[in-house]
Each structure stands twice: as C-alpha cells, then as structure tokens.
C-alpha cells in the first residue's frame, strides 16, 4: 500500500456503510463517457480500456463466427492472449453471433476503511468498461439473448464479470458451463502452484508446482510465474449466489473456467437480472505484489451489515489440539475434552494471558461413535451433560473471556440450517460472539434436503447451493452479532468486505495436518500459502505449536521461531494460540511473543519472498501503540537475507525484540535452538535475517519514547 501515503484521502475515513458518501465519491470522480454505437461485428478490436496508471490494458475482440474474446497487456506486452468468453446454457451455447451494441466507460477512485483487516485504508481505483452484447436474432425470433461484460482495470490486476439484464428472451438462465478462458501469453515457460479440484479432501492438498501445461483441473487462487518472472494469480471475487470456479486446462495450454457442478441440475440457475462473480487476474512483478494487492476486496460490495465494532479481533485458545493429539476426545467418556472443569482451565489460562476467546469442540450431542457419518445426529441447541454452557459463559464473562462456539455439521447441512436460529440464539444468550463452523465430509457429499423427509441431494462444498448456504449462516449470525469462522469452507472471494462478520476460514491444510497427516505439512508449506491460498483472504491456520510435536511425538517440520512468525505471516483477525497450556509453560520466552503480537493491522507489506521458498512480511498494529511486527518463514533450506527497515515510522527509534532460530537450528536436528535478543533500530537501518531449514523469524518493534 505504498500509494496510500501519496494519496491520503481528502476526507477523514469514517465507518461504513455510507451510501451517501459512496454516491458522492462516485459523483465526484466518475468521468462518464457514454456512447451507444452499434459497431459492425467484424473480426477485430471492439473496445479497449487501460488502468488508471496505464500499466494494464484490456482489449475486447470479435473473432471467427462473431465470438468474443478479451486479452490483457502489461506495459504493452501481452500477459493474457485472446481468451474466449461465453456460456453453455440449458438452451444452447451462448458464444457465437455476438454483436457489440454499446459500450460505456467510467473511472472510479475511492479510499475505504476496513473495520478490521490487514490494512485500515484501501484505495479502490479503476477504469471500467461496460460492453453490451446481443446475439443476432435467431430465425423466427425478434431478438437474441443479451448480456454485458464489465471490466474493471486496476494497475495491479483486472476483474470482469458477466451481467444478464432482464429480457424477454431469457427470464431464467441455466448455466451448464462457463466458457471463460484464461490463455497465458507465454505458456511455455510458465510455472504454476495449484491444488487439484474435485478431489475428495476438498482444499486440503499440498500445493504442487508444475509447468502450466501439466495443470489438470485446479482450484483458485491459482498462482503462476511466467518465464520472464511476472507473477499472475487467477481467482474470483464476490462469489454470491453462483457456483465456485475452478480452472481446467483445455485445448493446448488454455485454462478454462470449470464451474462446480450442481447437485441435481445445472451448475447455476438464476433469474435475470443477475451478475456473475468477478473473474480476477492479478499481475505483479514480485510475488509480494500479489499478496499486497487489494483487488479481490475492492471488487466486493461495501459493508451490508452496518456497525461491526462488536467483533473484536483477538487471539483464542481452546479444547482443540488435545483432540487432534487424541489425548482427549470429542465424544463422551473418561477422556471427554469439553467438560466444565477442563474448559475452566482454558478460561483461566486465557484470562491470565490476555487471550479473549476459548473455543470448545465436542460440547454438544452428536460426537459419539462415527461422527463423520452421523451429521444428522448433531444437536446444536443442547450441551452434553458434563458441559455447563451457562455456568461457563458466566465464569468466562467474569474474567473478560468469551467462549467461541463450534458447529460441526459433518455435512448434514439442511439438518444444521433447521437448527440454526435456535443454535445462534443459544450462543448469543451466552455471550458467544464467534462461531467456528465445520463441513467435514468428502467433496461432493454435502447433504441437502429441501423439506424434512424429502430426498437428500448431494452437493459440492463450492457449488451454487453452498454459496447460498454460507451467506444464510453469515446473515443470520450477523443478526445475532456473531462472527463466523468456517472450516472445510467455500473458498474466500473477499465477501468479508460486504459481510465483515465472516472473519476467517480454513480452506487449506492447516496446523491439524501436523498432528496426524501423512505426509505432514513440509517446511515450505507456509511460504507457499502466502502466495496462493492467502491471496483469497484470512486463514484460521491455528499456529503456535511450541511443543513442535504432533500425535505420538511426530515432529513438526518447523523450528520454534517459525511458530511465532506464523502469527504475522498468515493473516487472520482471530488467531489461535493452538498448543496446550502446559506446553506454553515450558517455553516462556517464545510465549512472550505470542502474548504480544497484534491481530489487527493498520498496514501490511511484503518485504521479500518467492512462492514456495520464503516470505517476510511486516505489519503495523492498529491503535495508538505504533508497534510494528515482522514475520519471516523459510523453506527446507536455510536462508539469509537483509531487509530494509524503511517501513518503520521515520524519525523514531524502536526496540526490536528479535525471536530467531539459533545458529544450529534445524527443524529435524535442533528445532528448539532459539534466541531472543533486543536491539535498537530505526527506519534508516537494514537488518540481516537468517532462517534455518524449516525455520523462521519474528520481531516486535516497540517505539521508544
Ligand atoms: C476439521 C477442522 O479443521 C478441525 O479444526 C476440527 O477440529 C475438526 N474438523 C472437527 O470439527
Ligand atoms: Ca479441516
């Protein structure tokens, strides 16, 4: 966000939403150049729009048989070669005989404020092209089908979507497939980091790095690096009432949208008018440019739920890691984790250390036996007999602590929805203002039942029906002043801008894989996530396993310092302090950083990094303290680098509290080799950083008087 300093907003930032302000900004900055010309739809350029700073351009073309294509240039060089647009609909293809019947352009520039986030102020500045298309009237009809394609071109990327106006020729649109293509201009030398789509374990796969031409069907965000070193990410924004988009390699090296199928019909059924989600292409010279980009958030609508000051970004502990270690159980019995006495222990630990939340899993009936297979047995309105929800909520409140709720659905999603109002009431009455939801089942096995006793339809986690389910949960939760953190979620497409109570989610391999998975998360996993999964939005990764051991002593591929770095590197407004209280007691020095680190940020910068190798991120805490934090994570090999501390506020001196790998640290041989030291620094300094194999570094910068 370097431009933030150069373009300070003229008015002081204020709480959103404010439609009046929005409209004023629009009126003040929108240069509306409208013309409606019917151009002959011959092959060639139909329209062109450049980004405000001129770096990126989109060109819309007509091709053979009057098909549509767009291409993208960066500084005059092709990034995306001509790529087709269109649909496979219930009543036939919508891709040929398309004529441009009008186009308008406008410019937009606003700076908006995130209620919480990785930066407070976000500049949303783009040039927009709206191109209107009509199909030649088929024989015997007065008019063909019509739609618009809207392009928003930023200096760091492009978003475009289809908009279907209300029209006699199409009152309902049944989308079997989207034919949108993304054809990289230089496919031969392009590397891709991706996880497969439509596999049983949803998003919980290790990222693979392959040449572009070895992609099968990938989920988004998909990260690419061209032979020239340009970084590109393809994803989507504002996935509302639509199916999630994957990318399949089609003819040659062209990537084509592969919509998540519907359970019992086409991928998407919508009545006109409606708009698709934005298809996004982020472009940057550095890997860090992708991670700093706000394109996905900017393409979402402003806050729709009003004041969310009731949501407090915070750290939380919980009855959780012990369940994954199998020293305690979700189900009832002698090792039941969610007992009143055990939860009190966590509340005491949270209160003593300044952590706001206590998550408790296994608190409700339904976990006994094979819970994976018994989603219809979950009860979200009652607690187990050995868990006194009311008493614990009161006990926690007395110490300034809040219970965090848990709704594991095991994919019986309709069963969950029927209980949702009562379940949220129960939590709200007990001061629970964050709920972790869960959708554990194989991909494609979500159970939807439209009426009690009716047939059960199997849906995908990222299908059209689930996109609506998640928003039903988020909207009902907002009405109860409850924030949602979804596990096994639908992908993040920036909806936290519109629904800022959708605070975090999983959607990748998190820390749980270190407890029990084979293979475990490798040392480079987090340095990959920063430039892949994290481009979508916050992740509830659940860091801070300072024992560095999973189930039965299996080693984490991590040093102690790296566990601290994760709090800065992997952004989430709720961060778990995931290990057991007794394990933190054995690492008091490292624990200090976990106590001190902030969770809500004024600004964030990626100082250095390469996809899948390392990432160094600096963030300034929100509020008056003026503290900065730095986190660095490496990969399987040691890495030394120097970072410029120019991000620190000029003219100030800071005490740098450095938590680093010891000189002989190594995730396997010496994971606990660890040094805490302090130094005085200022923005004029550079600082050498060294990360061991599987290592990392964490620094707190405290301004000196
Ligand atoms: C998977 C989630 O990711 C994990 O955090 C949770 O403990 C289990 N499901 C049980 O809900
Ligand atoms: Ca999971």
């Amino acid at each position: 966000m370097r431009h933030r300093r150069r373009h300070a907003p003229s008015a002081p930032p204020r709480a959103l939403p404010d439609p009046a302000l929005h409209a004023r900004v629009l009126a003040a900055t929108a240069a509306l150049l409208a013309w409606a010309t019917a151009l002959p739809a011959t092959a060639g350029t139909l329209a062109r729009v450049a980004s405000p700073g001129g770096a990126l351009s989109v060109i819309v073309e007509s091709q053979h048989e009057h098909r549509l294509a767009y291409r993208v240039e960066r500084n005059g060089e092709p990034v995306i070669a001509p790529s087709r647009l269109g649909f496979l609909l219930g009543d036939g293809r919508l891709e040929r005989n398309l004529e441009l019947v009008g186009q308008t352009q406008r410019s937009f520039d606003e700076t908006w404020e995130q209620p919480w986030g990785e930066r407070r102020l976000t500049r949303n500045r783009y040039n927009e092209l709206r191109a209107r298309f009509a199909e030649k009237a088929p024989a015997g009809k007065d008019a063909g089908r019509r739609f618009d394609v809207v392009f928003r071109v930023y200096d760091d990327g492009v978003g475009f979507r289809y908009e279907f106006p209300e029209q006699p020729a199409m009152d309902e649109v049944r989308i079997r497939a989207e034919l949108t293509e993304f054809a990289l201009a230089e496919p031969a030398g392009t590397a891709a980091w991706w996880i497969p789509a439509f596999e049983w374990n949803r998003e919980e796969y290790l990222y693979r790095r392959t040449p572009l031409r070895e992609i099968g069907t990938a989920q988004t965000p998909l990260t690419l690096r061209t032979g020239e070193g340009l970084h590109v990410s393809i994803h989507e924004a504002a996935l509302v009432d639509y199916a999630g988009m994957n990318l399949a390699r089609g003819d040659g090296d062209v990537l084509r949208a592969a919509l998540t199928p519907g359970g019992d019909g086409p991928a998407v059924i919508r009545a006109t008018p409606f708009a698709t989600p934005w298809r996004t292409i982020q472009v940057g010279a550095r890997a860090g440019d992708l991670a700093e980009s706000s394109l996905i958030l900017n393409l979402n609508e402003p806050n729709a739920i009003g004041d969310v000051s009731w949501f407090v970004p915070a750290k939380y502990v919980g009855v959780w890691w012990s369940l994954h270690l199998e020293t305690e159980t979700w189900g009832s019995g002698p090792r039941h984790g969610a007992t009143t006495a055990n939860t009190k222990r966590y509340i005491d630990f949270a209160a003593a250390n300044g952590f706001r939340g206590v998550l408790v899993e296994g608190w409700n009936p339904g976990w006994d036996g094979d819970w994976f297979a018994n989603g219809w047995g979950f009860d979200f309105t009652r607690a187990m007999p050995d868990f006194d929800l009311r008493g614990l909520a009161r006990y926690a409140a007395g110490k300034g602590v809040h219970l965090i709720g848990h709704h594991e659905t095991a994919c019986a999603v309709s069963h969950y929805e029927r209980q949702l109002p009562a379940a949220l009431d129960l939590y709200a009455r007990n001061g629970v203002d964050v709920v972790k939801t869960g959708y554990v089942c194989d991909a494609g096995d979500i159970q939807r039942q439209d009426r009690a006793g009716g047939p059960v339809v199997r849906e995908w986690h990222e299908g059209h029906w689930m996109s609506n389910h998640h928003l039903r949960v988020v909207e009902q939760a907002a009405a109860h002043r409850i924030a949602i953190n979804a596990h096994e979620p639908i992908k993040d497409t920036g909806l936290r801008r519109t629904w800022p109570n959708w605070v975090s989610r999983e959607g990748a391999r998190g820390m749980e894989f270190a407890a029990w998975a084979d293979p475990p998360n490798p040392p480079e996993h987090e340095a990959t996530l920063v430039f892949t999964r994290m481009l979508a939005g916050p992740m509830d990764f659940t860091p801070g396993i300072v024992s560095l051991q999973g189930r039965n002593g299996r080693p984490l591929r991590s040093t102690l310092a790296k566990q601290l770095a994760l709090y800065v590197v992997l952004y989430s407004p709720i961060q778990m302090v995931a290990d057991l209280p007794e394990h933190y007691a054995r690492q008091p020095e490292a624990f200090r950083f976990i106590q001190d680190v902030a969770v809500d940020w004024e600004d964030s910068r990626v100082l250095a990094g390469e996809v899948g190798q390392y990432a160094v991120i600096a963030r300034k805490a929100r509020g008056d303290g003026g503290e900065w934090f730095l986190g660095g994570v490496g990969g399987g090999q040691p890495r030394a680098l120097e970072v410029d501390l120019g991000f620190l506020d000029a003219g100030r001196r800071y005490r740098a509290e450095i938590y680093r790998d010891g000189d002989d640290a190594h995730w396997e041989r010496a994971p606990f080799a660890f040094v805490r030291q302090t130094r005085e620094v200022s923005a004029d300094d550079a600082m050498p950083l060294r990360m061991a194999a599987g290592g990392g570094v964490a620094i707190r910068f405290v301004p000196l008087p």
Side-chain angles (χ1 to χ4, degrees), residues 209-237:
R209 185 208 154 134
T210 70
L212 167 65
R213 53 181 43 155
E214 286 172 24
I215 294 177
T217 304
Q219 303 194 43
T220 75
L222 164 72
T223 300
L224 302 161
R225 193 176 63 213
T226 69
E228 275 84 58
L230 199 64
H231 293 80
V232 177
S233 167
I234 303 174
H235 187 43
E236 60 183 310

mmCIF file of all heavy atoms in Angstrom, residues 209-237:
data_model
loop_
_atom_site.group_PDB
_atom_site.id
_atom_site.type_symbol
_atom_site.label_atom_id
_atom_site.label_comp_id
_atom_site.label_asym_id
_atom_site.label_seq_id
_atom_site.Cartn_x
_atom_site.Cartn_y
_atom_site.Cartn_z
ATOM 1 N N ARG A 209 3.909 -27.718 -7.575
ATOM 2 C CA ARG A 209 4.491 -26.773 -8.516
ATOM 3 C C ARG A 209 4.763 -27.542 -9.794
ATOM 4 O O ARG A 209 5.507 -28.524 -9.783
ATOM 5 C CB ARG A 209 5.800 -26.238 -7.946
ATOM 6 C CG ARG A 209 6.404 -25.166 -8.811
ATOM 7 C CD ARG A 209 7.895 -25.074 -8.706
ATOM 8 N NE ARG A 209 8.378 -24.512 -9.959
ATOM 9 C CZ ARG A 209 9.263 -23.550 -10.057
ATOM 10 N NH1 ARG A 209 9.829 -23.072 -8.995
ATOM 11 N NH2 ARG A 209 9.612 -23.092 -11.233
ATOM 12 N N THR A 210 4.132 -27.146 -10.885
ATOM 13 C CA THR A 210 4.338 -27.833 -12.164
ATOM 14 C C THR A 210 4.430 -26.786 -13.262
ATOM 15 O O THR A 210 4.037 -25.633 -13.063
ATOM 16 C CB THR A 210 3.143 -28.747 -12.521
ATOM 17 O OG1 THR A 210 2.015 -27.929 -12.850
ATOM 18 C CG2 THR A 210 2.780 -29.708 -11.395
ATOM 19 N N PRO A 211 4.915 -27.189 -14.443
ATOM 20 C CA PRO A 211 4.737 -26.292 -15.587
ATOM 21 C C PRO A 211 3.241 -26.087 -15.818
ATOM 22 O O PRO A 211 2.435 -26.976 -15.511
ATOM 23 C CB PRO A 211 5.354 -27.063 -16.754
ATOM 24 C CG PRO A 211 6.258 -28.081 -16.119
ATOM 25 C CD PRO A 211 5.637 -28.422 -14.797
ATOM 26 N N LEU A 212 2.870 -24.932 -16.363
ATOM 27 C CA LEU A 212 1.464 -24.633 -16.651
ATOM 28 C C LEU A 212 0.816 -25.779 -17.416
ATOM 29 O O LEU A 212 -0.321 -26.171 -17.147
ATOM 30 C CB LEU A 212 1.395 -23.328 -17.453
ATOM 31 C CG LEU A 212 0.064 -22.993 -18.119
ATOM 32 C CD1 LEU A 212 -1.021 -22.759 -17.091
ATOM 33 C CD2 LEU A 212 0.206 -21.777 -19.002
ATOM 34 N N ARG A 213 1.556 -26.354 -18.359
ATOM 35 C CA ARG A 213 0.930 -27.353 -19.218
ATOM 36 C C ARG A 213 0.738 -28.702 -18.523
ATOM 37 O O ARG A 213 0.258 -29.635 -19.137
ATOM 38 C CB ARG A 213 1.690 -27.486 -20.539
ATOM 39 C CG ARG A 213 3.161 -27.749 -20.418
ATOM 40 C CD ARG A 213 3.768 -27.821 -21.808
ATOM 41 N NE ARG A 213 3.220 -26.750 -22.668
ATOM 42 C CZ ARG A 213 3.859 -26.253 -23.709
ATOM 43 N NH1 ARG A 213 5.059 -26.687 -24.018
ATOM 44 N NH2 ARG A 213 3.303 -25.321 -24.431
ATOM 45 N N GLU A 214 1.090 -28.783 -17.247
ATOM 46 C CA GLU A 214 0.796 -30.016 -16.503
ATOM 47 C C GLU A 214 -0.333 -29.829 -15.489
ATOM 48 O O GLU A 214 -0.612 -30.723 -14.696
ATOM 49 C CB GLU A 214 2.065 -30.540 -15.820
ATOM 50 C CG GLU A 214 3.018 -31.162 -16.826
ATOM 51 C CD GLU A 214 4.368 -31.519 -16.234
ATOM 52 O OE1 GLU A 214 4.453 -31.729 -15.007
ATOM 53 O OE2 GLU A 214 5.338 -31.549 -17.014
ATOM 54 N N ILE A 215 -0.973 -28.671 -15.538
ATOM 55 C CA ILE A 215 -2.148 -28.487 -14.673
ATOM 56 C C ILE A 215 -3.246 -29.408 -15.172
ATOM 57 O O ILE A 215 -3.457 -29.550 -16.376
ATOM 58 C CB ILE A 215 -2.644 -27.029 -14.736
ATOM 59 C CG1 ILE A 215 -1.610 -26.085 -14.141
ATOM 60 C CG2 ILE A 215 -3.974 -26.873 -13.999
ATOM 61 C CD1 ILE A 215 -2.010 -24.620 -14.238
ATOM 62 N N GLY A 216 -3.950 -30.051 -14.245
ATOM 63 C CA GLY A 216 -5.136 -30.814 -14.620
ATOM 64 C C GLY A 216 -6.339 -29.906 -14.450
ATOM 65 O O GLY A 216 -6.575 -29.002 -15.245
ATOM 66 N N THR A 217 -7.093 -30.101 -13.383
ATOM 67 C CA THR A 217 -8.148 -29.154 -13.015
ATOM 68 C C THR A 217 -7.770 -28.592 -11.652
ATOM 69 O O THR A 217 -7.611 -29.346 -10.692
ATOM 70 C CB THR A 217 -9.520 -29.846 -12.956
ATOM 71 O OG1 THR A 217 -9.751 -30.467 -14.218
ATOM 72 C CG2 THR A 217 -10.617 -28.832 -12.698
ATOM 73 N N ALA A 218 -7.593 -27.280 -11.605
ATOM 74 C CA ALA A 218 -7.050 -26.633 -10.410
ATOM 75 C C ALA A 218 -8.115 -25.798 -9.734
ATOM 76 O O ALA A 218 -9.020 -25.269 -10.380
ATOM 77 C CB ALA A 218 -5.875 -25.742 -10.798
ATOM 78 N N GLN A 219 -7.996 -25.666 -8.411
ATOM 79 C CA GLN A 219 -8.818 -24.702 -7.689
ATOM 80 C C GLN A 219 -8.179 -23.319 -7.833
ATOM 81 O O GLN A 219 -7.030 -23.188 -8.221
ATOM 82 C CB GLN A 219 -8.881 -25.088 -6.207
ATOM 83 C CG GLN A 219 -9.414 -26.501 -5.999
ATOM 84 C CD GLN A 219 -9.793 -26.766 -4.559
ATOM 85 O OE1 GLN A 219 -10.403 -25.947 -3.902
ATOM 86 N NE2 GLN A 219 -9.450 -27.940 -4.069
ATOM 87 N N THR A 220 -8.933 -22.301 -7.472
ATOM 88 C CA THR A 220 -8.366 -20.961 -7.424
ATOM 89 C C THR A 220 -8.337 -20.511 -5.968
ATOM 90 O O THR A 220 -9.136 -21.011 -5.168
ATOM 91 C CB THR A 220 -9.182 -19.953 -8.259
ATOM 92 O OG1 THR A 220 -10.379 -19.624 -7.566
ATOM 93 C CG2 THR A 220 -9.508 -20.501 -9.631
ATOM 94 N N PRO A 221 -7.410 -19.577 -5.595
ATOM 95 C CA PRO A 221 -6.474 -18.890 -6.467
ATOM 96 C C PRO A 221 -5.421 -19.840 -7.038
ATOM 97 O O PRO A 221 -4.905 -20.693 -6.314
ATOM 98 C CB PRO A 221 -5.787 -17.865 -5.551
ATOM 99 C CG PRO A 221 -6.500 -17.906 -4.250
ATOM 100 C CD PRO A 221 -7.313 -19.133 -4.203
ATOM 101 N N LEU A 222 -5.122 -19.619 -8.299
ATOM 102 C CA LEU A 222 -4.045 -20.336 -8.984
ATOM 103 C C LEU A 222 -2.925 -19.324 -9.188
ATOM 104 O O LEU A 222 -3.182 -18.227 -9.701
ATOM 105 C CB LEU A 222 -4.546 -20.849 -10.332
ATOM 106 C CG LEU A 222 -3.475 -21.278 -11.325
ATOM 107 C CD1 LEU A 222 -2.847 -22.594 -10.876
ATOM 108 C CD2 LEU A 222 -4.066 -21.438 -12.719
ATOM 109 N N THR A 223 -1.720 -19.673 -8.778
ATOM 110 C CA THR A 223 -0.600 -18.740 -8.892
ATOM 111 C C THR A 223 0.333 -19.189 -10.008
ATOM 112 O O THR A 223 0.668 -20.373 -10.107
ATOM 113 C CB THR A 223 0.146 -18.649 -7.552
ATOM 114 O OG1 THR A 223 -0.763 -18.180 -6.555
ATOM 115 C CG2 THR A 223 1.332 -17.681 -7.638
ATOM 116 N N LEU A 224 0.756 -18.230 -10.825
ATOM 117 C CA LEU A 224 1.603 -18.524 -11.986
ATOM 118 C C LEU A 224 2.807 -17.597 -11.980
ATOM 119 O O LEU A 224 2.713 -16.457 -11.518
ATOM 120 C CB LEU A 224 0.815 -18.292 -13.279
ATOM 121 C CG LEU A 224 -0.478 -19.115 -13.431
ATOM 122 C CD1 LEU A 224 -1.384 -18.490 -14.476
ATOM 123 C CD2 LEU A 224 -0.157 -20.558 -13.796
ATOM 124 N N ARG A 225 3.917 -18.089 -12.484
ATOM 125 C CA ARG A 225 5.070 -17.209 -12.734
ATOM 126 C C ARG A 225 5.561 -17.487 -14.139
ATOM 127 O O ARG A 225 5.902 -18.615 -14.470
ATOM 128 C CB ARG A 225 6.185 -17.423 -11.718
ATOM 129 C CG ARG A 225 7.216 -16.276 -11.813
ATOM 130 C CD ARG A 225 8.311 -16.354 -10.779
ATOM 131 N NE ARG A 225 9.086 -17.553 -10.955
ATOM 132 C CZ ARG A 225 9.650 -18.242 -9.972
ATOM 133 N NH1 ARG A 225 9.528 -17.838 -8.731
ATOM 134 N NH2 ARG A 225 10.342 -19.321 -10.221
ATOM 135 N N THR A 226 5.590 -16.427 -14.935
ATOM 136 C CA THR A 226 5.977 -16.610 -16.338
ATOM 137 C C THR A 226 7.488 -16.755 -16.443
ATOM 138 O O THR A 226 8.225 -16.475 -15.484
ATOM 139 C CB THR A 226 5.550 -15.405 -17.197
ATOM 140 O OG1 THR A 226 6.359 -14.271 -16.800
ATOM 141 C CG2 THR A 226 4.078 -15.076 -16.993
ATOM 142 N N GLY A 227 7.941 -17.163 -17.602
ATOM 143 C CA GLY A 227 9.375 -17.290 -17.852
ATOM 144 C C GLY A 227 10.122 -15.993 -17.598
ATOM 145 O O GLY A 227 11.273 -15.988 -17.186
ATOM 146 N N GLU A 228 9.435 -14.858 -17.824
ATOM 147 C CA GLU A 228 10.074 -13.541 -17.584
ATOM 148 C C GLU A 228 9.989 -13.132 -16.121
ATOM 149 O O GLU A 228 10.422 -12.031 -15.759
ATOM 150 C CB GLU A 228 9.409 -12.455 -18.423
ATOM 151 C CG GLU A 228 9.941 -12.331 -19.831
ATOM 152 C CD GLU A 228 9.282 -13.326 -20.768
ATOM 153 O OE1 GLU A 228 8.055 -13.293 -20.886
ATOM 154 O OE2 GLU A 228 10.005 -14.154 -21.344
ATOM 155 N N GLY A 229 9.390 -13.955 -15.301
ATOM 156 C CA GLY A 229 9.340 -13.635 -13.872
ATOM 157 C C GLY A 229 8.134 -12.831 -13.448
ATOM 158 O O GLY A 229 8.062 -12.350 -12.320
ATOM 159 N N LEU A 230 7.163 -12.652 -14.339
ATOM 160 C CA LEU A 230 5.934 -11.947 -13.967
ATOM 161 C C LEU A 230 5.045 -12.892 -13.158
ATOM 162 O O LEU A 230 4.910 -14.069 -13.493
ATOM 163 C CB LEU A 230 5.215 -11.536 -15.251
ATOM 164 C CG LEU A 230 4.175 -10.437 -15.129
ATOM 165 C CD1 LEU A 230 4.836 -9.136 -14.697
ATOM 166 C CD2 LEU A 230 3.468 -10.242 -16.466
ATOM 167 N N HIS A 231 4.446 -12.348 -12.087
ATOM 168 C CA HIS A 231 3.578 -13.167 -11.244
ATOM 169 C C HIS A 231 2.105 -12.873 -11.560
ATOM 170 O O HIS A 231 1.718 -11.712 -11.660
ATOM 171 C CB HIS A 231 3.868 -12.898 -9.765
ATOM 172 C CG HIS A 231 5.225 -13.364 -9.352
ATOM 173 N ND1 HIS A 231 6.366 -12.630 -9.611
ATOM 174 C CD2 HIS A 231 5.630 -14.509 -8.747
ATOM 175 C CE1 HIS A 231 7.415 -13.304 -9.157
ATOM 176 N NE2 HIS A 231 6.996 -14.450 -8.630
ATOM 177 N N VAL A 232 1.343 -13.920 -11.698
ATOM 178 C CA VAL A 232 -0.062 -13.791 -12.085
ATOM 179 C C VAL A 232 -0.882 -14.706 -11.177
ATOM 180 O O VAL A 232 -0.469 -15.826 -10.885
ATOM 181 C CB VAL A 232 -0.264 -14.213 -13.565
ATOM 182 C CG1 VAL A 232 -1.745 -14.146 -13.954
ATOM 183 C CG2 VAL A 232 0.575 -13.354 -14.499
ATOM 184 N N SER A 233 -2.019 -14.221 -10.719
ATOM 185 C CA SER A 233 -2.929 -15.076 -9.947
ATOM 186 C C SER A 233 -4.322 -14.979 -10.555
ATOM 187 O O SER A 233 -4.812 -13.879 -10.823
ATOM 188 C CB SER A 233 -2.969 -14.636 -8.480
ATOM 189 O OG SER A 233 -4.065 -15.256 -7.828
ATOM 190 N N ILE A 234 -4.942 -16.115 -10.760
ATOM 191 C CA ILE A 234 -6.308 -16.152 -11.295
ATOM 192 C C ILE A 234 -7.237 -16.639 -10.186
ATOM 193 O O ILE A 234 -6.986 -17.672 -9.562
ATOM 194 C CB ILE A 234 -6.402 -17.073 -12.524
ATOM 195 C CG1 ILE A 234 -5.410 -16.615 -13.593
ATOM 196 C CG2 ILE A 234 -7.830 -17.072 -13.079
ATOM 197 C CD1 ILE A 234 -5.315 -17.542 -14.782
ATOM 198 N N HIS A 235 -8.289 -15.878 -9.954
ATOM 199 C CA HIS A 235 -9.213 -16.222 -8.869
ATOM 200 C C HIS A 235 -10.574 -15.603 -9.202
ATOM 201 O O HIS A 235 -10.856 -15.289 -10.372
ATOM 202 C CB HIS A 235 -8.632 -15.692 -7.549
ATOM 203 C CG HIS A 235 -9.369 -16.104 -6.316
ATOM 204 N ND1 HIS A 235 -9.839 -17.381 -6.114
ATOM 205 C CD2 HIS A 235 -9.741 -15.395 -5.206
ATOM 206 C CE1 HIS A 235 -10.438 -17.443 -4.925
ATOM 207 N NE2 HIS A 235 -10.401 -16.259 -4.367
ATOM 208 N N GLU A 236 -11.399 -15.408 -8.202
ATOM 209 C CA GLU A 236 -12.689 -14.767 -8.408
ATOM 210 C C GLU A 236 -13.028 -13.937 -7.170
ATOM 211 O O GLU A 236 -12.499 -14.184 -6.085
ATOM 212 C CB GLU A 236 -13.781 -15.782 -8.695
ATOM 213 C CG GLU A 236 -14.032 -16.808 -7.615
ATOM 214 C CD GLU A 236 -15.109 -17.813 -8.054
ATOM 215 O OE1 GLU A 236 -16.177 -17.375 -8.498
ATOM 216 O OE2 GLU A 236 -14.871 -19.031 -7.928
ATOM 217 N N ALA A 237 -13.895 -12.957 -7.365
ATOM 218 C CA ALA A 237 -14.310 -12.088 -6.268
ATOM 219 C C ALA A 237 -15.829 -12.064 -6.212
ATOM 220 O O ALA A 237 -16.500 -12.147 -7.240
ATOM 221 C CB ALA A 237 -13.775 -10.665 -6.475
#
